[in-house]
Amino acid sequence: MEFRDFKELAKIRQSCRDYDPDREVEIEKLQTCLDTMKLAPSACNAQPYYYYIVHGENAKNISKFLQLGKMNSFTKDVNAFAIVTEENYNLTAKISSQVKNQDFKSVDIGISTAYFTAEATTLGLSTCVIGWFDEEKIQKFLNTKSRIRLVIAIGYAKNEEIREKKRKTSDALYKIIPEDL
Ligand SMILES: Cc1cc2nc3c(=O)[nH]c(=O)nc-3n(C[C@H](O)[C@H](O)[C@H](O)COP(=O)(O)O)c2cc1C
């Protein structure tokens, strides 16, 4: 898929719910996504997250923890997942977050997944950020007590057609305040 700039990349990055089960994701590509994720900004540079990459047979096990009836049933064909846990803050980030009453951790985690998925798109991979999962089962699988915050499905799309983005109107999303206000 061709793109010339970030806006075009953002247009072709879309949540994929139809994966080719016969195409494995190259480990080198997953590594590149992780390398780019590491470049994401975070409050006080605290980077309060950890990425587990699960692929092959393990991906089949994980996909069971993401489905409820038809919900996320597409994950049965996904050959790789990134599981994103929430990790401790450093002292400055903890204090800033408390003093300012802001949930910087969620913001940081979200930005890191945006970097990960954008890089995946440049590599011809498709992704879907998944917020619906059985947290306890994934914790048990990974043998961690950390909170599981997001799972990213990663693979090759069966159908590469790019959908028109459905987004709120510009008026509902932003305003450029005039200088002379
Ligand atoms: C935090 C978060 C959780 C999400 N959870 C799910 C999910 O459980 N299942 C799913 O199919 N899509 C999930 N999505 C994908 C959104 O539905 C999708 O990003 C949105 O509809 C916009 O479509 P697009 O990504 O194709 O542009 C999630 C996205 C985010 C950012």
Side-chain angles (χ1 to χ4, degrees):
M1 197 66 69
E2 294 287 309
F3 62 92
R4 280 167 303 178
D5 52 33
F6 187 75
K7 189 177 178 191
E8 288 195 357
L9 180 69
K11 280 186 182 164
I12 62 172
R13 198 273 334 135
Q14 62 185 6
S15 297
C16 173
R17 300 184 182 90
D18 188 14
Y19 291 84
D20 182 347
D22 299 323
R23 277 188 82 182
E24 294 292 333
V25 181
E26 299 85 342
I27 295 290
E28 302 74 34
K29 288 192 177 183
L30 294 168
Q31 183 65 60
T32 305
C33 295
L34 292 167
D35 290 341
T36 303
M37 173 281 291
K38 281 181 67 184
L39 303 175
S42 60
C44 303
N45 206 14
Q47 305 153 75
Y49 32 74
Y50 194 83
Y51 277 65
Y52 293 87
I53 297 290
V54 177
H55 60 104
E57 241 354 87
N58 285 332
K60 298 280 161 260
N61 293 324
I62 286 294
S63 76
K64 291 181 205 140
F65 308 149
L66 310 172
Q67 301 175 44
L68 184 76
K70 277 198 169 169
M71 172 94 85
N72 291 338
S73 60
F74 67 89
T75 59
K76 70 180 184 331
D77 293 330
V78 173
N79 286 324
F81 293 101
I83 299 168
V84 189
T85 61
E86 177 179 313
E87 300 302 328
N88 290 335
Y89 247 171
N90 59 32
L91 192 61
T92 354
K94 203 172 182 174
I95 292 170
S96 314
S97 205
Q98 275 169 5
V99 171
K100 290 286 136 205
N101 188 26
Q102 289 283 355
D103 176 15
F104 292 139
K105 268 193 183 178
S106 297
V107 176
D108 296 341
I109 290 164
I111 296 173
S112 77
T113 62
Y115 272 51
F116 187 102
T117 54
E119 182 61 86
T121 309
T122 72
L123 300 171
L125 292 167
S126 291
T127 57
C128 186
V129 177
I130 295 174
W132 175 280
F133 46 77
D134 188 324
E135 182 172 13
E136 272 183 33
K137 288 195 173 138
I138 299 179
Q139 282 173 320
K140 210 168 165 195
F141 181 88
L142 296 175
N143 192 24
T144 179
K145 288 194 168 66
S146 296
R147 287 218 60 193
I148 312 295
R149 295 301 307 270
L150 289 172
V151 175
I152 307 171
I154 312 152
Y156 287 96
K158 253 199 223 155
N159 172 6
E160 293 195 345
E161 201 181 314
I162 300 300
R163 303 184 297 269
E164 192 70 32
K165 289 265 181 249
K166 287 186 195 151
R167 294 295 187 259
K168 289 181 179 176
T169 62
S170 298
D171 279 351
L173 286 172
Y174 63 81
K175 180 183 225 167
I176 300 174
I177 309 288
E179 243 184 288
D180 57 0
L181 191 78

